[in-house]
Amino acid sequence: MYSTEHCSIYRESFMRISSFLSVLFVVFLLFPSRAFADAWVAIAEPSSATYYAISCKSSACVSVGSSGSVAYSSNGLTWSPATTGTIVSLRGVHYYDSGDVIAVGNSGKILLSTDGGATWTAQTSGTTRTLYDVHMLGSTGWAVGDTN
């Protein structure tokens, strides 16, 4: 048998969980598009490359992948391939300002685009390790990769 004290504790726990679920339900009712994508749409591939990362700023997007592949889009629906001048795989990308994009990859490769991904310039990284991701904040950037 449960004591009155146990029943009171369970009732209180149930009320907290019930209140939380009610709030969560209201959030999903008020903001359904923030909880789930409305629909996924397949788009035409810009090349036969394997793409590893994507970053968008508003509706403009850049995706990076194998063998130095880059694809860019101004609307997220139609994509164009770009020439990067590298054959190493690119693993991470960050679209951080109006038209400014940074990409990183194997062998310490860092590339910069100032026109939304159409053209790229190699940057000095100081490493030959694989870089997997990058983030920019103003003129400061952080890259992560092999061996810290």
Side-chain angles (χ1 to χ4, degrees):
M1 299 271 336
Y2 290 110
S3 68
T4 307
E5 182 181 355
H6 282 102
C7 289
S8 176
I9 291 170
Y10 290 126
R11 189 177 316 115
E12 186 177 318
S13 296
F14 176 77
M15 293 305 289
R16 278 192 225 140
I17 292 169
S18 178
S19 296
F20 171 75
L21 292 175
S22 296
V23 170
L24 191 60
F25 180 72
V26 170
V27 168
F28 283 118
L29 282 178
L30 294 175
F31 306 103
S33 63
R34 301 213 190 272
F36 303 101
D38 291 334
W40 291 90
V41 178
I43 59 171
E45 296 180 30
S47 73
S48 61
T50 299
Y51 288 91
Y52 302 121
I54 188 169
S55 183
C56 300
K57 183 88 172 166
S58 297
S59 60
C61 298
V62 173
S63 185
V64 297
S66 63
S67 304
S69 298
V70 170
Y72 64 99
S73 174
S74 61
N75 60 16
L77 297 174
T78 55
W79 292 79
S80 300
T83 302
T84 60
T86 188
I87 58 168
V88 301
S89 291
L90 299 170
R91 305 287 178 170
V93 62
H94 185 210
Y95 205 128
Y96 63 99
D97 205 357
S98 179
D100 294 339
V101 186
I102 191 108
V104 297
N106 292 3
S107 303
K109 184 60 72 179
I110 299 178
L111 300 174
L112 174 68
S113 174
T114 58
D115 59 6
T119 60
W120 295 86
T121 305
Q123 306 294 297
T124 303
S125 73
T127 187
T128 57
R129 305 274 186 175
T130 296
L131 299 173
Y132 291 107
D133 204 3
V134 63
H135 183 80
M136 295 292 296
L137 186 59
S139 61
T140 303
W142 297 268
V144 295
D146 282 348
T147 319
N148 300 320

